[in-house]
Amino acid sequence: QKEVEQDPGPLSVPEGAIVSLNCTYSNSAFQYFMWYRQYSRKGPELLMYTYSSGNKEDGRFTAQVDKSSKYISLFIRDSQPSDSATYLCAMRWSGNTPLVFGKGTRLSVIA
Amino acid sequence: KAGVTQTPRYLIKTRGQQVTLSCSPISGHRSVSWYQQTPGQGLQFLFEYFSETQRNKGNFPGRFSGRQFSNSRSEMNVSTLELGDSALYLCASSLLGGAPTDTQYFGPGTRLTVL
């Protein structure tokens, strides 16, 4: 079993839909959780960062962490065609430990 | 501020050859990490350098090596290339790499194809 599991999709939604992206993990030592967005032919860029359990909101994006279930989510409200990309979850044990990534979910938002 | 740059962007090699990839971090960033991205395995951590010292290492064979120079620029080398080494190699830089909130900024990657 991989440390971080993420459904690869592809996920296709109409413009304006609410998108839910999820990851599960096996190592309870993970404390820091991130979501990256990767456009085609580009490197990943950090979207959201959360520490421990709870919610964090930034514009149309909300990140949720449930450490008891070892489950993290990213919600995108009012999705736009420009949100079409691969979304990668990532996590780490502490500040100077490597990031462990999920395989990414490919999202297409259809106008 | 210029972003992370990687050269070359595309590379084609044959089995058994070796290859060197280069990464220039964002000015002022001292930590450089390397990742391999493939459709099957996703993004996997190779190694991290900070102040010319390897600080972390992933689970890759010794054919994969790297170094960092005093100006924080980094190179990674893969010797005796195998078909399975075909991948996108990503470099990421961060200010210090030691704080949880220290964001990693990724370059566009080098696409390596091994024939």
Side-chain angles (χ1 to χ4, degrees):
Chain A
Q1 182 196 11
K2 247 182 112 55
E3 275 192 295
V4 180
E5 300 278 359
Q6 184 176 7
D7 187 334
L11 183 61
S12 187
V13 301
E15 183 177 356
I18 296 174
V19 176
S20 171
L21 303 166
N22 312 293
C23 285
T24 58
Y25 61 95
S26 56
N27 192 334
S28 57
F30 286 131
Q31 294 190 72
Y32 304 97
F33 305 90
M34 284 135 278
W35 285 95
Y36 282 81
R37 177 175 62 194
Q38 185 175 20
Y39 290 114
S40 182
R41 301 184 190 282
K42 302 269 190 183
E45 57 176 334
L46 182 66
L47 263 182
M48 300 283 287
Y49 159 82
T50 49
Y51 168 68
S52 197
S53 285
N55 292 4
K56 185 173 183 178
E57 192 173 314
D58 184 2
R60 297 184 296 111
F61 299 90
T62 299
Q64 281 186 354
V65 174
D66 182 351
K67 289 192 73 182
S68 62
S69 302
K70 298 193 185 74
Y71 189 88
I72 70 170
S73 301
L74 178 71
F75 297 95
I76 307 174
R77 288 183 299 283
D78 188 26
S79 56
Q80 303 294 309
S82 58
D83 295 328
S84 298
T86 297
Y87 290 80
L88 302 131
C89 63
M91 45 200 81
R92 69 199 315 181
W93 294 269
S94 65
N96 60 0
T97 55
L99 290 174
V100 180
F101 282 86
K103 287 189 182 180
T105 300
R106 206 165 83 185
L107 170 68
S108 292
V109 181
I110 312 300
Chain B
K1 210 182 237 188
V4 178
T5 57
Q6 292 186 245
T7 55
R9 291 294 310 278
Y10 301 92
L11 209 46
I12 299 175
K13 292 286 188 180
T14 55
R15 273 182 302 175
Q17 286 187 310
Q18 76 164 19
V19 67
T20 299
L21 312 181
S22 182
C23 171
S24 292
I26 291 171
S27 177
H29 284 192
R30 292 168 61 190
S31 169
V32 173
S33 296
W34 288 90
Y35 296 85
Q36 180 195 66
Q37 187 174 32
T38 60
Q41 298 299 319
L43 253 165
Q44 292 186 285
F45 173 76
L46 280 156
F47 27 67
E48 182 211 358
Y49 286 87
F50 177 79
S51 291
E52 303 177 66
T53 301
Q54 187 179 86
R55 187 157 65 177
N56 284 298
K57 189 176 190 306
N59 190 25
F60 277 81
R63 300 185 296 107
F64 292 82
S65 63
R67 59 178 175 166
Q68 186 181 34
F69 302 96
S70 57
N71 61 359
S72 293
R73 193 177 70 84
S74 178
E75 288 181 348
M76 68 162 280
N77 184 276
V78 188
S79 62
T80 320
L81 283 166
E82 299 176 1
L83 294 179
D85 296 334
S86 294
L88 180 68
Y89 289 89
L90 290 158
C91 163
S93 77
S94 62
L95 205 56
L96 296 174
T101 55
D102 197 12
T103 301
Q104 288 197 2
Y105 295 88
F106 283 82
T110 294
R111 171 76 60 187
L112 172 64
T113 302
V114 182
L115 302 175

